[in-house]
Amino acid sequence: MDLKDSLSRFKQQQERCQSSLASIAANQALTSKPKHRAQPINAPSVPARPSQPIKFSNDTERLQHINSIRKSPVGAQMKLVIELLYKTRQAFTAEQINETTYVDIHGNKAVFDSLRNNPKVHYDGRRFSYKSKHDLKGKDQLLVLIRRYAEGLAVVEIKDAYPTVMEDLQALKAAGEVWLLSNMDSQEDIVYPNDPKAKIKVDDDLKQLFRDIELPRDMVDIEKELHKNGIKPMTNTAKRRAAAQIDGVKPKPKAKKKQREITKRTKLTNAHLPELFENLNT
């Protein structure tokens, strides 16, 4: 009897120990779960999203894209970097450029040397940044620069100074601060300063006197008047006329356009008017 009692008590102790271990494991599982945001009582329960399997195709495409960039010509890689520097106007290290454009500057000496020596790129020994011809920060500095060039400044020299330079240029033109004209020879825009000191009011009588001045009708007389006032004319009409008389050069008469003759082979569209075709060439 004593042995049976001992066995029964031992089984009871084992059951209590197992229940204690089970409760401890359950408590640990509850505390280790991540905290979720509280949901409203009436909100529908959202089923847990199954973890999606990893797709290796996207990574393969990215690696192929990186490989195509790094195997592209030096000029193409430089273009990617310079576009990044131009659009952001920030300084980037070689590592940051690699992360953004996949251009490995440290791994390609030709790209590194070309960027370092490019006139549009500034390299301080660690970072690369965009370098324009004129270092301008806004509209006020732009106006100061234009006023330094009384004979005009080509727009192409300032169009990359900062991102909104063209908008500021149009604003200065609208405000009457500058003149924006096109050069017919070079087919490029030139900006001129509108000097506020030159804004004067002219009397109507003086304007009328200027309009009443009659200019010589002969080009030779105009050139003589220019010489009298110390201005060298761009033409020499007297010399040109004398050379034409010596060489016997006469202006070529305009060639008359040969009138098309109507023959019997000509396709007639006004056959109902026979009087137009009385003199047909045979």
Side-chain angles (χ1 to χ4, degrees):
M1 293 294 294
D2 295 336
L3 181 59
K4 291 181 179 181
D5 292 337
S6 299
L7 289 174
S8 63
R9 285 197 298 270
F10 180 73
K11 289 181 180 180
Q12 291 176 359
Q13 289 178 355
Q14 282 186 333
E15 290 174 356
R16 285 196 296 268
C17 290
Q18 288 179 355
S19 62
S20 300
L21 291 173
S23 62
I24 292 172
N27 292 332
Q28 288 180 350
L30 290 175
T31 55
S32 61
K33 286 184 179 180
K35 295 181 179 180
H36 296 282
R37 186 178 297 176
Q39 294 183 354
I41 298 175
N42 297 328
S45 60
V46 180
R49 297 177 62 183
S51 60
Q52 297 181 354
I54 300 173
K55 294 182 179 180
F56 293 97
S57 59
N58 295 335
D59 192 56
T60 303
E61 292 176 0
R62 185 178 68 87
L63 293 176
Q64 290 176 348
H65 178 62
I66 294 173
N67 186 53
S68 65
I69 289 176
R70 294 182 178 176
K71 286 188 175 182
S72 62
V74 174
Q77 298 186 50
M78 286 180 58
K79 185 175 182 292
L80 290 174
V81 177
I82 293 176
E83 284 181 351
L84 171 68
L85 302 178
Y86 173 75
K87 291 178 180 179
T88 59
R89 299 303 173 104
Q90 297 178 3
F92 290 86
T93 62
E95 292 77 10
Q96 292 171 336
I97 291 174
N98 188 10
E99 293 175 359
T100 308
T101 64
Y102 303 125
V103 176
D104 187 10
I105 297 177
H106 286 327
N108 193 327
K109 187 176 184 300
V111 175
F112 175 77
D113 292 339
S114 299
L115 284 173
R116 186 180 57 180
N117 298 322
N118 192 287
K120 291 295 183 182
V121 177
H122 173 69
Y123 180 62
D124 61 1
R126 185 168 179 267
R127 290 184 175 87
F128 296 87
S129 59
Y130 188 81
K131 180 175 67 176
S132 57
K133 183 174 182 179
H134 301 282
D135 186 17
L136 305 176
K137 302 301 182 184
K139 185 166 61 175
D140 295 337
Q141 294 184 7
L142 175 62
L143 181 58
V144 171
L145 175 68
I146 295 173
R147 285 177 176 173
R148 294 177 187 170
Y149 292 83
E151 298 180 355
L153 177 64
V155 175
V156 70
E157 295 187 7
I158 58 176
K159 66 185 301 182
D160 63 343
Y162 56 93
T164 59
V165 64
M166 298 306 295
E167 289 83 353
D168 290 345
L169 188 61
Q170 292 296 332
L172 291 174
K173 177 185 175 183
E177 298 288 348
V178 299
W179 299 101
L180 191 59
L181 306 175
S182 296
N183 189 325
M184 300 303 295
D185 296 331
S186 60
Q187 298 294 324
E188 64 180 11
D189 293 336
I190 309 294
V191 59
Y192 297 88
N194 188 7
D195 191 354
K197 298 177 182 177
K199 296 179 181 179
I200 58 175
K201 185 177 181 181
V202 181
D203 295 336
D204 293 337
D205 296 339
L206 187 59
K207 293 179 183 178
Q208 190 61 39
L209 288 173
F210 176 79
R211 296 189 182 102
D212 290 341
I213 297 175
E214 186 176 355
L215 296 177
R217 296 185 179 273
D218 195 343
M219 193 64 189
V220 175
D221 297 332
I222 294 177
E223 291 170 356
K224 289 180 180 178
E225 292 295 329
L226 290 174
H227 279 295
K228 287 180 182 180
N229 291 275
I231 302 174
K232 184 180 179 180
M234 299 297 294
T235 58
N236 193 335
T237 306
K239 183 178 179 180
R240 179 173 55 81
R241 290 178 181 175
Q245 291 177 358
I246 294 172
D247 299 335
V249 179
K250 295 181 179 179
K252 294 182 180 180
K254 293 184 178 180
K256 293 183 179 179
K257 188 176 181 180
K258 186 178 179 180
Q259 188 175 3
R260 185 180 179 184
E261 296 180 351
I262 301 177
T263 65
K264 288 183 178 180
R265 294 182 179 180
T266 306
K267 185 177 180 181
L268 304 178
T269 56
N270 293 328
H272 62 288
L273 299 174
E275 63 273 9
L276 297 177
F277 314 109
E278 291 178 354
N279 298 321
L280 289 178
N281 295 330
T282 58

